[in-house]
Amino acid sequence: MSVQRVGERVRREEDFRLLTGRGRYADDAPAPAAARGYVLRSPHAHARILSLDASAARNAPGVLAVLTGAELRRRGLGTLRPHIPRRKQSGAPAFVCPQPLLALDRVRYVGDPVAFVVAEDANRAKDAAELIQVEYAPLPAVVTAEAALQPGAPAVWDDNPGNEAFTFAAGDKAATNAAFARAAHVVTHRAAINRVTANSMEPRGCLALYDKDEDRYTIRCTVQSVHQIRAALAGQIFRLPHHQVRVVCEQMGGGFGMKGGCYPEYALSLWASEVTGRPVRWVAERSEGLQSDEQARGSIIDTELALDRDGKFLALRTRWVSSIGAYFSTDRPTIPLTIGMGCHVNTYRFGALYAEAIAVLTNTMTTAPYRGGSRPEPIYATETVIDKAARDLGLDPAELRRRNTIPAAAMPYATPMRQTYDTGDFAKNLGDALALSGYRGIAGRREAARGRGKLLGIGVATTVAATGGRDYEHAEIRFDPAGGVMLITGSMDHGQGHATTFKQVLSDKLGIDADKIRYRWGDSDLVTMGIGTFGSRSAQLCGSAIVTAADRLIEKGRRIAAHMMEAAESDVAFERGRFVIAGTDRAVALDEVARQSFNWAQLPPDVETGFTERSNYGPADAATFPSGAHVAEIEIDRETGEVALVRYCAVDDVGTMLNPLLCEGQIHGGIVQGAGQALLENLVYDPASGQLLSGSFQDYAMPRADNFCPFELRENATPTPKNPLGVKGVGEAGTIGAIPAVMNAVNDALAAAGAPPVDLPATPEKVWRALRRSEATGRGGR
């Protein structure tokens, strides 16, 4: 291999190893004498625990320990708690209700952990769990936010009648109300956002070890930030200095936000290792993950759009009601309802905007960010109400968007939600996407589809959303005396290909062979600090940390090179891996300088031995604003209601593409997850019993390859000046564009048939019923 440049389509170096079974996931890490953990979970959505008898389980063959709420009280382990204070609508403090590691006297959702069994193998642990006798007194349950807010609804917590956890509002309410008062048209829309779950290829899991001699805990687990999980385990649960806990994550088969939290099973496994003196491994089964992985979305959003007589947007007003589950233990449920509210503005000029979200406690698993984080819901609400406005006013949806798009000449543009878009050409994104999709020829394609017994629909959505604006990221470049290089970062790799991309950045910057670089991450002992990977932050924050650390290394190398060549530092320049004396042919290679740096006697007196530099990159105004325009085309079978995605086009602006091949792969994956939510995926709880009805892949419809058409992608790059690489986030782009584009296409087809719109997900049954209703009212012609 040789020097790799930013912008080259370098194939992921990890793929061959992972695809041939040589990865090391949580269940692969060797651990002699490791025991297996198993969680006994509540079968009830809400119940009092009257008694629990684990004596038979403790005496079962191969059982090493059974941990219950009684043992938890004696051990005195702590719980997680939110860090950011929130308030209710009344102004009172938010209702914080932490989840204990094991239920103490009440369970509050199906899957709530009740006991942790440790045995020689998984089957013995499961058998023993069946011997635990738990007497429950079932209580009324409530599983939707709307039902939980009704007067007289069952209280998830007795001391919180009404079930509100907190309320968040953003924007200018008075200015928004004034704009609505003078509007010529007001369009209203209610959007039901379905609840989904990540279903990553690798389920959650861990391998835990307590070292009695060192009084130290080590856990290998599937997490998106080793440092944040260490802080939670050490600081809040075990109440120890951070150095007494080590968290490691090597390969991980997908995260998508769901693996960002510190789950009870991690602490239970560490505690179990402490009790048994053995390593303890726990890995979730798929049905267990559907119950106990953090879930996502699940809101009702009422949206109002105010327009003048010419179709100009005056203001937008939204009210969210969202279920966050049974516990408010961390800040994670707040993220989807707070930090993304600015996305309501999207690519449009609004005079004013006001949004309010009410977080509601329900007898369900808790919610957290999922691919797109806090962005999909507000963008979906805005994009779907725009389509409804176009139908109500008799305008083309793309034309209505074009009239209201923020022009490139307005950049930097300050939005009504106090964000400033630094770069972007939203109108060009839209125009290019429409041209790519053959938007003007839709009438002919509709007619051809009709001849095949199909209804064709086309949906447009534009996107812009902040990425990379939180915290910092860490990078360290460490040369060894032989010229090898270790690159260490605080970012985590869940399958994004960071090893490939970050090596490109460093290889290009230093002009060194990428094969000489070894990339390491995911070990709180090795990596000094870091925040982790989520929210499309890695390329811009970690990539920039690599660049700034490399700049510092170059400056140190310049001093050493000047000393080696007996030249003035000001005369030495760095070019393509060499330090060159200006105007001469004298030069010294970077690896020679690195080797010289370890020879103390040959260094300038004020230069430290070694060739290592680090950087923490995270300026206050680091947020960038990737944007795009997506066009989906679908066909509906009139007889069955089945929806087929027949064409998908997208034009995205993610700034500088470090590796176009991997960048496109991220957009592909995002489109699949967005379209999967739009057409198939849905977590459903029975409203009467609180039982999870979609508890396996027989009921939770995961998308497959044959659900998709080829994706046609183009780019419209406007590099950002906010970081040295000019990059913007890409990981969320496909998802936030696909959900509204696909649903707008479905409802476009239904509207053409005189049928009412459907909500997420657009399942064949929903679509079939909508078509039958149109036929029953005489509006559905063939």
Side-chain angles (χ1 to χ4, degrees), residues 339 341-343 345 413-421 466 625:
I339 67 171
M341 284 298 195
C343 293
V345 176
Y413 181 82
T415 79
M417 299 294 268
R418 299 182 180 179
Q419 292 181 319
T420 300
Y421 299 160
F625 293 89

Side-chain angles (χ1 to χ4, degrees), residues 347-383:
T347 60
Y348 308 112
R349 289 176 289 189
F350 288 104
L353 200 150
Y354 181 73
E356 181 181 69
I358 303 172
V360 185
L361 295 163
T362 57
N363 293 111
T364 61
M365 179 58 193
T366 55
T367 59
Y370 167 60
R371 193 165 192 171
S374 59
R375 305 163 185 86
E377 294 95 322
I379 286 179
Y380 180 77
T382 297
E383 287 298 305

Side-chain angles (χ1 to χ4, degrees), residues 217-540:
Y217 300 81
T218 297
I219 186 166
R220 295 176 179 270
C221 50
T222 52
V223 297
Q224 294 180 218
S225 170
V226 292
H227 294 93
Q228 291 190 11
I229 300 304
R230 180 182 66 176
L233 290 169
Q236 294 188 279
I237 294 175
F238 286 91
R239 302 186 181 98
L240 296 169
H242 287 196
H243 65 76
Q244 285 183 247
V245 175
R246 179 188 181 192
V247 180
V248 179
C249 179
E250 294 178 279
Q251 271 80 52
M252 186 167 75
F256 310 118
M258 179 271 290
K259 290 179 182 171
C262 184
Y263 289 85
E265 295 89 354
Y266 305 153
L268 289 172
S269 297
L270 287 168
W271 177 26
S273 178
E274 173 191 312
V275 170
T276 63
R278 300 263 294 271
V280 174
R281 194 189 305 271
W282 170 81
V283 178
E285 297 180 348
R286 186 62 64 184
S287 58
E288 188 177 13
L290 282 161
Q291 284 187 348
S292 63
D293 293 348
E294 287 175 330
Q295 298 168 2
R297 320 288 200 237
S299 298
I300 300 293
I301 305 180
D302 287 301
T303 306
E304 299 173 277
L305 175 62
L307 307 94
D308 70 10
R309 296 185 185 280
D310 299 320
K312 177 184 175 183
F313 298 165
L314 301 178
L316 188 77
R317 185 163 56 199
T318 66
R319 183 179 186 270
W320 300 29
V321 175
S322 184
S323 160
I324 65 167
Y327 298 98
F328 182 21
S329 298
T330 73
D331 294 307
R332 289 177 59 72
T334 73
I335 294 171
L337 303 179
T338 59
I339 67 171
M341 284 298 195
C343 293
H344 274 302
V345 176
N346 205 7
T347 60
Y348 308 112
R349 289 176 289 189
F350 288 104
L353 200 150
Y354 181 73
E356 181 181 69
I358 303 172
V360 185
L361 295 163
T362 57
N363 293 111
T364 61
M365 179 58 193
T366 55
T367 59
Y370 167 60
R371 193 165 192 171
S374 59
R375 305 163 185 86
E377 294 95 322
I379 286 179
Y380 180 77
T382 297
E383 287 298 305
T384 52
V385 79
I386 290 173
D387 257 36
K388 187 171 187 295
R391 282 194 291 273
D392 289 356
L393 300 179
L395 296 172
D396 177 78
E399 171 59 20
L400 183 57
R401 287 175 169 83
R402 187 196 63 77
R403 291 184 190 180
N404 289 281
T405 295
I406 300 165
M411 299 297 169
Y413 181 82
T415 79
M417 299 294 268
R418 299 182 180 179
Q419 292 181 319
T420 300
Y421 299 160
D422 58 304
T423 60
D425 192 338
F426 307 151
K428 188 174 189 303
N429 291 346
L430 178 59
D432 289 353
L434 294 174
L436 182 64
S437 69
Y439 188 80
R440 290 184 178 180
I442 191 66
R445 299 200 295 277
R446 282 192 203 274
E447 188 62 31
R450 190 175 295 113
R452 302 191 304 272
K454 310 283 188 180
L455 294 170
L456 188 142
I458 193 164
V460 179
T462 69
T463 66
V464 62
T467 61
R470 297 172 55 199
D471 297 311
Y472 70 95
E473 201 44 82
H474 173 78
E476 180 179 356
I477 305 166
R478 186 187 301 172
F479 276 75
D480 63 42
V485 188
M486 184 177 290
L487 172 62
I488 303 168
T489 77
S491 285
M492 304 288 293
D493 193 334
H494 324 150
Q496 294 94 336
H498 286 169
T500 302
T501 306
F502 290 161
K503 282 186 181 182
Q504 277 183 261
V505 172
L506 186 58
S507 176
D508 191 357
K509 181 70 178 178
L510 295 184
I512 58 177
D513 189 335
D515 272 347
K516 292 184 177 181
I517 305 170
R518 185 182 182 193
Y519 176 58
R520 295 293 303 276
W521 77 98
D523 184 338
S524 62
D525 273 9
L526 173 67
V527 186
T528 308
M529 62 193 80
I531 302 299
T533 296
F534 46 85
S536 297
R537 68 194 303 277
S538 295
Q540 50 197 313

